[in-house]
Amino acid sequence: MALALRCLRPLPSLLHRSLFPRTRALPGTPPGCPALLLEGCRQCVPQVLLSRQLATKKAKGKGQSQAKVNISAALVEDIINLEEINEDMQAVIEALKEDFSRNISIRTSPGALDHITVMTKDGKFPLNQLGQISQKSPQLLVVNMASFPESTAAAMKAIRESGMNLNPEVDGTVIRVPVPKVTREHRENLAKLAKQSTNKSKEALRKVRSKSINQIKKSKSKVSEDTIWLLEKQIQQMADEAVAEMDKLLAAKTKELLG
């Protein structure tokens, strides 16, 4: 029994070494540095450049997710501006939110007409800059064009062609806009528009991602293939997170429209 116990004593340390993979420091990395740094970094930084458990490109086994890459933007700014990419992706999301709020809504309010653009002889202007918009009843909006009477006909045309299924009527410089009652068919059409708008936003997001990855590939002569792969993975993660947020927005909007 004593002999068996002595043989088992080394097992914990062996198991520890086999369960946790080693990290390999790159040239110029200080001894004992816990971070896996990109090529060219010569010292440790407060922010860990990369935090991952040597994940392979394809996760093994069902339900096993890949480890996330988290690259410090400051340490790769000479290759690509990750913060700028994130801002571009967030701008696409904000544009989708704005579209949902302005164009795809069943609520009737004076603000529903604000976004309509009117083409005049002096250029394009938002309707709310040319006329005073007010709500007379839940089913009637009124646009007073007294300040710019010469643009009344153009405003009428813009309202009619806004895609909001409106049929305005003019009385001098006053435009009356009857708002139709919301039917189930109208709600379903709005839900389809919301999905179409989301798909367009996803396409815009893919363009941001593709442009960024093409920029990274131009640096192949200066950095290692591993660095290129890690940066591409980081950008793909950012895009995936943005798509997930768009899907949540669409689900919420669809629920609002269809109940």
Side-chain angles (χ1 to χ4, degrees):
M1 177 64 73
L3 178 60
L5 289 174
R6 284 197 298 272
C7 291
L8 289 174
R9 284 174 185 170
L11 283 178
S13 61
L14 290 173
L15 288 172
H16 178 80
R17 287 195 295 271
S18 63
L19 289 175
F20 297 93
R22 298 178 182 178
T23 58
R24 178 174 57 87
L26 294 171
T29 304
C33 174
L36 180 62
L37 303 178
L38 287 181
E39 182 176 351
C41 179
R42 293 175 179 163
Q43 59 182 357
C44 291
V45 290
Q47 301 166 310
V48 175
L49 171 64
L50 179 63
S51 142
R52 76 191 196 106
Q53 289 287 334
L54 297 177
T56 57
K57 292 184 179 180
K58 292 184 180 179
K60 296 179 181 178
K62 293 183 179 179
Q64 183 177 352
S65 59
Q66 300 183 45
K68 283 192 173 183
V69 175
N70 185 17
I71 299 174
S72 171
L75 294 179
V76 292
E77 59 184 4
D78 58 330
I79 303 173
I80 196 166
N81 191 330
L82 291 176
E83 292 180 354
E84 186 176 299
I85 295 170
N86 183 61
E87 289 174 0
D88 290 344
M89 291 184 176
Q90 289 304 312
V92 175
I93 295 173
E94 290 303 318
L96 179 62
K97 290 180 181 178
E98 185 73 10
D99 187 41
F100 279 179
S101 176
R102 287 187 169 188
N103 304 331
I104 308 176
S105 178
I106 57 175
R107 292 188 293 272
T108 304
S109 67
L113 304 181
D114 286 351
H115 72 285
I116 294 178
T117 301
V118 181
M119 176 65 77
T120 72
K121 62 180 181 180
D122 297 318
K124 294 181 179 180
F125 295 92
L127 180 60
N128 61 355
Q129 289 185 12
L130 300 174
Q132 183 180 0
I133 306 172
S134 59
Q135 183 174 4
K136 294 300 181 182
S137 72
Q139 254 58 60
L140 180 63
L141 298 176
V142 173
V143 184
N144 190 333
M145 298 293 296
S147 298
F148 297 92
E150 70 279 5
S151 299
T152 301
M156 277 273 295
K157 181 180 179 182
I159 295 170
R160 188 176 289 112
E161 297 177 354
S162 65
M164 297 175 66
N165 193 30
L166 300 174
N167 188 25
E169 303 167 355
V170 66
D171 182 10
T173 58
V174 175
I175 302 174
R176 303 181 190 280
V177 187
V179 179
K181 290 184 178 180
V182 179
T183 63
R184 183 66 184 180
E185 182 182 3
H186 182 57
R187 289 174 179 268
E188 290 174 352
N189 287 335
L190 288 176
K192 290 178 182 178
L193 288 175
K195 187 172 183 180
Q196 291 173 7
S197 183
T198 302
N199 288 337
K200 288 180 181 178
S201 295
K202 288 181 179 180
E203 179 62 30
L205 186 71
R206 282 192 288 269
K207 289 181 180 178
V208 173
R209 181 188 63 82
S210 298
K211 180 181 177 181
S212 304
I213 289 179
N214 288 337
Q215 183 180 341
I216 291 171
K217 288 180 178 179
K218 292 179 182 179
S219 302
K220 280 188 174 181
S221 60
K222 298 185 293 184
V223 295
S224 67
E225 290 184 6
D226 286 344
T227 299
I228 297 292
W229 181 78
L230 291 171
L231 284 170
E232 289 179 356
K233 183 176 175 64
Q234 173 77 40
I235 291 171
Q236 184 61 55
Q237 284 176 183
M238 293 163 63
D240 290 343
E241 290 170 1
V243 167
E245 188 170 349
M246 288 181 185
D247 287 338
K248 287 180 181 179
L249 291 172
L250 176 60
K253 176 56 70 172
T254 302
K255 184 177 180 180
E256 173 193 320
L257 294 171
L258 301 179

